[in-house]
Amino acid sequence: MRACARLLALLLAFVPPAGAATRLDDSLSPRQRVEIVPRWVSESTSGRLSNEQLNALVAEVRQFEVRLNTAKYVGREAEIYLRLPVAIIGLHSPAGLRLEWRTRGRFASGSVRPGERMLLFRGAISQPVMEDTFDFVLHFDGRYIQRGLQFDPIYEIEILR
Amino acid sequence: MRWLATAALLFCVADATAITIVVGNTPTRVSLRVGSPGGQIDLVTFTVPAANVGDGVPVAGTVPGQGGLAGFCPANTVYVEIEGRASPANSRTVTLSVDSTQPLSNGIDTIPFTQIDWISTGFPPVSIPSGTFSGGAGQVLVSFQNSRVALQCLRFRYLNQSVVGAGTYNGRVVYGVTMP
């Protein structure tokens, strides 16, 4: 057991080398699971809509507080990214989802598709917990999704110095 | 001891995966528009000169306005739009049918709807084939998979194959769409 505890301590204290992306712990965030019900973007066709417009769905998650555990990185220069996994349960094509967000300013606003990542922050990590409030807008193509689609936005850090 | 360390490591990694976004019910939508919007019933008129009654030469119908959608359909055609939205694509079947059981009537005589056909001008990816009313209920005009919209302009013709009594004959067909 003592060896196990030492191993755990080593793992917790491990700071990856510069340039390697490491997943950040976001379990401090107050809300852990959000269920959304998308709606059609266009209610009427009148012969003017493309297939993309016809099947466009949207859903919003407002005031979503994200808290990232950056305790291990205090004092380091780093970049923090938001990534979507390339494989998502219930998503038949990466073209079927785009996640867009606006923040209150601590992190940058942006958008990503599955398999992509977007920079949220670049600079010195000065706090053990970095937090911001996100307004997420989820854009779906109804042709490529099904009920039960679920995913975890991934927050990852890269140490610069 | 090695097993314990591995289990602890897996637990730590899983713990960092905190926030999950789940899509609940996805909406479905099926709609049908024949002619003008807003529930208006459009009128197609066939004028048969007395000298030509029953001569077998089809008479094209006239439709006031632009057939329900200005700038999209040619003159004297009726705009038909069928839309089926659901997730994912190709998971449901959209079916357009028509009921033409009630014949046209002048109050004395009748003309079955089998005397009226239509010529379709369709737009990909779905087309309603040209055809003739069957005079029955539930005549299927087209079926297609969801996540598509079918846009058509229909030109109706009176086939003029029978000698009928003089007068103005009125009748109505009713279109319906399903996406079970």
Side-chain angles (χ1 to χ4, degrees):
Chain A
M1 287 303 286
R2 191 177 297 169
C4 178
R6 274 204 299 270
L7 176 60
L8 264 177
L10 277 172
L11 287 168
L12 290 171
F14 173 72
V15 175
T22 303
R23 187 167 187 164
L24 280 170
D25 178 5
D26 60 0
S27 62
L28 299 171
S29 306
R31 293 165 73 187
Q32 301 297 300
R33 182 182 173 89
V34 181
E35 182 164 321
I36 56 171
V37 177
R39 65 181 189 281
W40 299 113
V41 173
S42 303
E43 285 301 316
S44 173
T45 61
S46 296
R48 303 295 203 271
L49 297 182
S50 66
N51 269 341
E52 288 70 27
Q53 292 169 319
L54 179 74
N55 292 290
L57 290 160
V58 68
E60 291 97 10
V61 180
R62 300 290 183 201
Q63 298 188 353
F64 194 95
E65 205 173 327
V66 174
R67 296 177 185 168
L68 304 178
N69 185 347
T70 50
K72 286 187 294 187
Y73 309 100
V74 170
R76 308 293 299 266
E77 290 283 327
E79 290 176 336
I80 296 175
Y81 293 89
L82 192 161
R83 174 190 291 282
L84 283 189
V86 68
I88 291 178
I89 296 169
L91 182 68
H92 299 187
S93 163
L97 170 63
R98 182 169 64 85
L99 177 68
E100 180 184 358
W101 66 90
R102 292 194 175 281
T103 67
R104 299 297 187 272
R106 180 73 185 267
F107 294 136
S109 301
S111 72
V112 287
R113 288 189 178 277
E116 299 176 352
R117 70 177 190 174
M118 176 67 74
L119 186 68
L120 287 178
F121 173 85
R122 177 186 289 131
I125 306 293
S126 58
Q127 302 290 327
V129 176
M130 294 182 68
E131 59 187 294
D132 202 341
T133 301
F134 286 62
D135 291 326
F136 289 112
V137 182
L138 297 99
H139 302 273
F140 298 102
D141 186 325
R143 294 173 293 181
Y144 305 126
I145 69 168
Q146 65 184 52
R147 187 179 187 277
L149 183 154
Q150 69 175 64
F151 64 96
D152 307 326
I154 297 167
Y155 302 92
E156 60 185 27
I157 189 167
E158 273 188 30
I159 302 300
L160 301 175
R161 284 194 296 273
Chain B
M1 198 59 73
R2 182 177 299 166
W3 179 88
L4 280 175
T6 304
L9 174 62
L10 289 173
F11 178 79
C12 290
V13 170
D15 197 31
T17 312
I19 301 166
T20 301
I21 297 174
V22 182
V23 173
N25 289 327
T26 53
T28 60
R29 179 187 165 101
V30 60
S31 69
L32 168 64
R33 172 176 161 181
V34 179
S36 301
Q40 178 182 329
I41 299 173
D42 289 315
L43 186 66
V44 182
T45 304
F46 308 95
T47 303
V48 185
N52 299 103
V53 171
D55 68 2
V57 177
V59 176
T62 58
V63 181
Q66 287 281 320
L69 187 63
F72 194 84
C73 286
N76 295 314
T77 59
V78 174
Y79 175 66
V80 177
E81 175 186 303
I82 314 119
E83 168 198 321
R85 302 192 218 180
S87 296
N90 307 320
S91 57
R92 298 180 186 226
T93 301
V94 182
T95 301
L96 172 70
S97 60
V98 65
D99 182 339
S100 59
T101 50
Q102 294 299 315
L104 299 106
S105 174
N106 65 355
I108 302 170
D109 298 320
T110 61
I111 301 173
F113 266 98
T114 53
Q115 281 293 299
I116 295 178
D117 74 359
W118 65 88
I119 298 168
S120 278
T121 304
F123 300 89
V126 181
S127 295
I128 299 174
S130 299
T132 306
F133 289 116
S134 70
Q139 178 185 1
V140 173
L141 302 182
V142 68
S143 290
F144 59 94
Q145 297 300 103
N146 67 282
S147 303
R148 294 171 177 83
V149 60
L151 310 172
Q152 307 288 309
C153 304
L154 305 184
R155 182 80 191 267
F156 290 97
R157 301 186 309 170
Y158 172 58
L159 297 179
N160 193 24
Q161 293 168 330
S162 305
V163 176
V164 295
T168 300
Y169 292 74
N170 290 304
R172 180 186 296 182
V173 293
V174 179
Y175 291 85
V177 65
T178 60
M179 188 179 70

